[in-house]
Amino acid sequence: MNLADELKKIIKGEVVTDEKILDEMSRDAGLLVVKPAVVVYPKDVNDLKNLVKFVGENKKSNKELSLTSRSAGTDMSGGPLNESIIVNFTKYFTNFRMKDSNSVIAEPGLYYRIFEKEMLRYGLIFPSYPASKSICAIGGIVNNNSGGEKTLKYGKTENFIEGISMVLSDGNEYNFHALNEEGLKSKMKQKDFEGEIYKNMYKLITKNYKLITEAKPDVTKNSAGYLLWNVYNKEEGIFDLTQIFVGAQGTLGIMKDATIRLVPIKKRARMLVIFLNDVKKLKDLIPIILKTNPESFETYDDNTLKLAMRFFPSFAKILGAKNLVRIAFSFLPEFFMLLRGGLPKLILQVEFSGDDNGELDAKIEELSRELKPFDLNLRAPKTQFGAKKYWTIRRESFNLLRHHIKDKHTAPFIDDFAVKPEKLPQFLPELDLILEQYKLIYTIAGHVGDGNFHIIPLMNLKDEAQRNIIPELSEKVYNLVFKYNGTTTGEHNDGLIRSPYLKQMYGEKVFKLFEETKKIFDPQNIFNPGKKIGSSLEYTLSHIRKD
């Protein structure tokens, strides 16, 4: 069977086997390479249905046949990589429409930068956007359960999905949303695949309710595993299967679109920048800052700041300012810090938002007073441009690394762990001791208000000794994360790189519930195999890029 020829018979969209496209689809923003057999660009939902039916009918004769959804491909976990059929949404599934005054129905291939621009015209924003908002798309945001700089105040993607349309393993489209007890009973009476799903998921969750609720990680951000604890709210009598698809990385079906709740955008914002030389002070600083209820509380390290200074022309281009002299002048304080003895270990950004400048100024002044006893170097940018400089450093450091470091490659494999913020003063020194063993160059950035850190090492992946560091360092870092009851991934998800650690993180009993969930929705393993369930660390390590 020539797979491409067979697929051309059943869909209206394109079927591509061009080597250049296959190579492009072999990679995401991570460190793995997995070459697909074919890439398809479906035109409509009927194409999606036909693809699912085709794979289901031919799975027995070709066990490797499967479907992996892909949008922008900015994932860092290997989530959109697969050796069989890649379903790319960025060509035709790029539309959105307003459902009501504060919610929108968006398709998976819609780039967030386009989506945000349109929503701002309505005075609305999706507050769970990730730092990669200039290059990512809606499909990845929903399927990874993304979060970002505003998650501290508003919560993650899981808090904003009101409905989701899925093509499931029987090849039919279903619309999921929250149900009350009466609606749930009605669904469970149905004599079809949807009815079976509701019955089986209700049974799985109610039978193991205590185990599931206790399994929820004690963090404010988590994308590891299936979010079983979010599905059934016993007290309110709400059963919501949208929550099982959010963060599932396309392993349970193919998303056609999602209904996303938006919030009114705040008109003004003020930032306080804190230059921190002693990480031990975090123990006292974190509770003081968090009690002021900031919209965001971010951090990055001295290496990240050096990147912006080292690659100044590229950074200036990203910043979008026409006057290079103005940008250079804005960096004078940082250059003087460097000359006087070095940059601070961490830079903390605390931002408040609102509609009244006076209230925001008062918050900045109050926080500055409370921090005065700690003898810190503080800066409160007076202009939008001044604040934008720090935000651009925070958001674009990973892309600067990817595009400018030629002899080494960005290697995101411990890039997204999270622990409770109050545990950071104990956690971070232990983490430093682990990292010091390997003499790696790396940057640290993250959402300190959520205890969520992104560590991106630079490695020569042609060197086998360097590649061997990856599983060894991963094990040490994740053992430390589990010691502090954290999660391996706050927002980037499991993919190929972290799925092998799910059983250790949750334990055998909860992991079996994940396996049962996968079987309920996808008994033939049609959708995105090797992620969440059925992963293999050996497979992952054998697909680390060497270029």
Side-chain angles (χ1 to χ4, degrees), residues 107-163:
E107 293 179 339
L110 175 64
Y111 280 95
Y112 183 81
R113 61 179 180 269
I114 298 171
F115 175 69
E116 181 181 64
K117 183 179 179 181
E118 292 299 316
M119 292 305 101
L120 289 176
R121 291 172 53 205
Y122 294 92
L124 299 170
I125 194 170
F126 170 63
S128 188
Y129 61 80
S132 60
K133 68 175 187 170
S134 64
I135 54 176
C136 68
I138 294 296
I141 288 174
V142 175
N143 284 278
N144 283 329
N145 190 23
S146 293
E149 60 207 35
K150 294 183 186 296
T151 294
L152 177 64
K153 184 177 181 71
Y154 292 100
K156 287 185 63 185
T157 298
E158 64 195 69
N159 303 110
F160 295 91
I161 303 303
E162 295 182 336

Side-chain angles (χ1 to χ4, degrees), residues 325-378:
V325 175
R326 182 187 182 196
I327 301 174
F329 185 77
S330 75
F331 270 100
L332 284 179
E334 284 75 26
F335 280 115
F336 285 138
M337 275 188 224
L338 193 58
L339 292 172
R340 286 197 300 264
L343 295 171
K345 179 63 177 173
L346 288 177
I347 295 88
L348 307 179
Q349 291 179 193
V350 184
E351 187 168 86
F352 302 93
S353 67
D355 297 321
D356 184 276
N357 278 332
E359 289 182 6
L360 296 178
D361 289 341
K363 285 189 175 184
I364 294 292
E365 291 172 7
E366 180 186 355
L367 181 56
S368 298
R369 282 196 303 271
E370 292 210 44
L371 297 179
K372 193 173 182 179
F374 296 95
D375 191 27
L376 299 166
N377 187 351
L378 307 178

Side-chain angles (χ1 to χ4, degrees), residues 173-367:
E173 179 188 358
Y174 299 97
N175 299 306
F176 294 92
H177 57 272
L179 299 174
N180 58 23
E181 297 282 4
E182 185 179 341
L184 174 61
K185 289 177 182 177
S186 178
K187 287 289 185 185
M188 291 195 293
K189 288 178 182 178
Q190 292 178 192
K191 305 297 183 182
D192 57 11
F193 186 60
E194 185 183 25
E196 287 300 310
I197 282 175
Y198 273 100
K199 278 185 284 189
N200 288 328
M201 286 303 298
Y202 179 77
K203 180 179 179 182
L204 182 147
I205 291 172
T206 54
K207 183 180 178 182
N208 301 281
Y209 192 77
K210 187 173 185 291
L211 176 64
I212 289 169
T213 53
E214 291 177 352
K216 183 178 181 179
D218 187 22
V219 290
T220 56
K221 297 171 75 173
N222 175 57
S223 285
Y226 294 120
L227 308 184
L228 291 170
W229 38 84
N230 283 357
V231 173
Y232 187 32
N233 185 324
K234 260 188 177 181
E235 289 72 26
E236 297 182 10
I238 300 297
F239 196 85
D240 187 3
L241 281 182
T242 64
Q243 292 295 305
I244 209 67
F245 298 114
V246 175
Q249 282 198 311
T251 58
L252 304 179
I254 296 180
M255 181 182 116
K256 190 200 80 172
D257 58 48
T259 303
I260 302 170
R261 180 173 61 85
L262 308 171
V263 299
I265 191 166
K266 301 295 184 182
K267 296 177 183 178
R268 296 172 177 83
R270 286 295 310 276
M271 176 189 293
L272 184 68
V273 183
I274 304 165
F275 299 95
L276 188 63
N277 291 311
D278 186 359
V279 177
K280 292 178 183 177
K281 291 183 178 180
L282 278 176
K283 180 180 180 180
D284 297 313
L285 296 181
I286 287 173
I288 290 173
I289 294 170
L290 287 179
K291 77 176 183 180
T292 64
N293 193 30
E295 185 173 73
S296 61
F297 181 12
E298 302 288 288
T299 189
Y300 49 88
D301 67 346
D302 51 350
N303 287 327
T304 305
L305 183 55
K306 286 174 187 174
L307 273 177
M309 298 163 73
R310 178 179 174 187
F311 303 117
F312 179 77
S314 294
F315 177 79
K317 186 177 179 181
I318 294 169
L319 195 55
K322 296 177 182 178
N323 190 337
L324 287 177
V325 175
R326 182 187 182 196
I327 301 174
F329 185 77
S330 75
F331 270 100
L332 284 179
E334 284 75 26
F335 280 115
F336 285 138
M337 275 188 224
L338 193 58
L339 292 172
R340 286 197 300 264
L343 295 171
K345 179 63 177 173
L346 288 177
I347 295 88
L348 307 179
Q349 291 179 193
V350 184
E351 187 168 86
F352 302 93
S353 67
D355 297 321
D356 184 276
N357 278 332
E359 289 182 6
L360 296 178
D361 289 341
K363 285 189 175 184
I364 294 292
E365 291 172 7
E366 180 186 355
L367 181 56

Side-chain angles (χ1 to χ4, degrees), residues 422-438:
E422 52 264 38
K423 296 179 180 178
L424 289 177
Q426 293 78 40
F427 175 87
L428 290 176
E430 292 187 50
L431 177 66
D432 282 340
L433 290 175
I434 294 173
L435 294 173
E436 285 172 5
Q437 300 171 30
Y438 295 92

Side-chain angles (χ1 to χ4, degrees), residues 13 29 34 83 104 126 141 169 374 397-398 488 492:
V34 180
E83 294 182 26
V104 61
F126 170 63
I141 288 174
S169 59
F374 296 95
S397 58
F398 180 64
T488 56
H492 293 177

Side-chain angles (χ1 to χ4, degrees), residues 3 16-28 31-39 64 66 68 70 78 80-87 496 529 531 539-540 542-545:
L3 181 57
V16 180
T17 56
D18 177 78
E19 283 298 319
K20 184 179 178 181
I21 298 298
L22 293 183
D23 181 66
E24 183 183 339
M25 297 297 111
S26 299
R27 307 160 190 263
D28 57 7
L31 72 164
L32 305 178
V33 178
V34 180
K35 187 176 181 179
V38 63
V39 178
E64 302 306 314
S66 64
T68 293
R70 180 183 176 115
L81 307 183
N82 181 21
E83 294 182 26
S84 189
I85 304 169
I86 300 296
V87 184
L496 291 170
K531 324 308 188 306
Y539 180 88
T540 300
S542 69
H543 285 80
I544 295 174
R545 63 192 303 167

